[in-house]
Amino acid sequence: MALNTQGILAAATVAMYIPFLFTSFKVASKSGIWRGRWTSLLVFCIVRVLGGTFLVVAEEITPVNNGLYTAGYLLEIVGLSPLLLCTLSLLRSIFEGPDGEPTDNTIFNSFQLSNAAGVLLTVIGIATVSRSSSGSSTLRKAGFLIFAVLYIALVGICIFLWTQIHLVMKYRKRLLKAISIALPFLAVRTLYGVLSTITTSTFTSSTTSSNTSNLAEFNLVTGDWQIYLVMGMLTEYAIVIIYTVSAFVLPLDQDFKSPDLQEDEFPLNGP
């Protein structure tokens, strides 16, 4: 059975992220898989490979298996979560001391809890779409509203760090520049996620669209594939490239080995 356009894009996603699956595992292993700053990047790559695989397999199987479509689209939607968390982890690392912890974790813990709430609401909203269309739509919109607010929070943290740039150490300063370059791409991806959530009401196989709203082209299942390619796939890929290159070229641990840095004197990590 020949793949349709969405199947081809899903196959392309798998091919694009398999190399990054290995590179992200390598960089995550260096800083610790469970608590490292690059772990969320690895999770994101896994989500993209699995989601693309589900959609490709769903296209090849007859009769239609809607469960595979739902799983694939679910992973496509919640994939924004680890990308937000990865950005947070990198911003958090700028506040770190040599022990790998910032003085105050309150903001970062709140962000992680809010992100988890957004994922939970989105997953429940997709899982219950066949039982309560309006209720599930409300849950999904609430989930992505949380993601949008979290993106704004990331921008706020980034702006704060730029106001304190004189206190940011050498390699972390370069990391902040990389994050700042990635944020516009993340903004477009977040916007696409919000718009696709508003317009998508079913997450199964479909060849025609009954959505006649002005935003129908953003429908994840039946919308314009060019919009999905540019606002979804390519923006994510740009972010992953930026973060992966940063992981390989920025020796963040060297910041604490500078001869000009006095013992127990770590900018942005003081009480």
Side-chain angles (χ1 to χ4, degrees):
M1 182 177 178
L3 295 175
N4 62 15
T5 302
Q6 287 203 337
I8 293 173
L9 291 176
T13 297
V14 175
M16 289 163 59
Y17 281 101
I18 283 180
F20 282 108
L21 190 60
F22 293 102
T23 56
S24 61
F25 178 78
K26 182 177 180 179
V27 297
S29 298
K30 289 172 61 178
S31 58
I33 289 290
W34 300 114
R35 293 178 60 84
R37 63 179 67 96
W38 304 105
T39 301
S40 294
L41 184 63
L42 171 62
V43 172
F44 174 76
C45 292
I46 293 173
V47 167
R48 281 293 166 260
V49 171
L50 286 177
T53 301
F54 282 139
L55 291 176
V56 171
V57 172
E59 289 288 331
E60 294 292 332
I61 288 180
T62 53
V64 172
N65 186 323
N66 284 327
L68 287 174
Y69 280 106
T70 300
Y73 288 127
L74 171 62
L75 291 175
E76 171 63 35
I77 291 172
V78 300
L80 179 61
S81 170
L83 210 53
L84 291 169
L85 280 181
C86 182
T87 305
L88 174 72
S89 296
L90 298 184
L91 287 171
R92 180 182 182 275
S93 69
I94 299 175
F95 290 89
E96 288 177 355
D99 60 352
E101 293 290 338
T103 300
D104 189 353
N105 262 319
T106 303
I107 294 177
F108 302 107
N109 290 338
S110 298
F111 191 107
Q112 291 172 332
L113 288 174
S114 298
N115 189 280
V119 171
L120 182 61
L121 289 172
T122 304
V123 169
I124 295 176
I126 294 175
T128 60
V129 68
S130 61
R131 283 176 280 175
S132 175
S133 178
S134 61
S136 64
S137 176
T138 299
L139 289 173
R140 295 194 306 274
K141 291 175 182 177
F144 260 82
L145 177 61
I146 292 176
F147 291 151
V149 171
L150 292 181
Y151 171 79
I152 294 172
L154 289 175
V155 173
I157 295 173
C158 191
I159 291 173
F160 168 76
L161 286 171
W162 276 111
T163 65
Q164 305 295 314
I165 194 64
H166 60 288
L167 297 176
V168 179
M169 291 179 282
K170 177 180 177 181
Y171 293 110
R172 281 164 171 74
K173 190 176 297 184
R174 297 179 184 177
L175 177 61
L176 180 59
K177 293 177 181 177
I179 296 170
S180 300
I181 294 172
L183 280 178
F185 293 104
L186 188 56
V188 174
R189 176 60 185 90
T190 304
L191 176 62
Y192 176 76
V194 172
L195 294 176
S196 63
T197 299
I198 292 173
T199 58
T200 306
S201 58
T202 182
F203 301 91
T204 56
S205 174
S206 179
T207 56
T208 60
S209 174
S210 59
N211 191 334
T212 59
S213 74
N214 295 330
L215 299 176
E217 58 191 2
F218 294 100
N219 187 294
L220 183 62
V221 180
T222 61
D224 190 328
W225 68 267
Q226 291 98 332
I227 290 179
Y228 166 69
L229 174 65
V230 174
M231 296 185 68
M233 288 179 61
L234 295 184
T235 54
E236 289 181 345
Y237 207 59
I239 296 168
V240 171
I241 290 174
I242 292 170
Y243 288 168
T244 302
V245 170
S246 298
F248 279 104
V249 304
L250 297 180
L252 298 181
D253 292 340
Q254 295 299 315
D255 276 333
F256 300 110
K257 299 177 182 180
S258 170
D260 299 325
L261 196 64
Q262 300 298 318
E263 185 177 0
D264 296 328
E265 186 179 308
F266 302 105
L268 292 178
N269 187 250

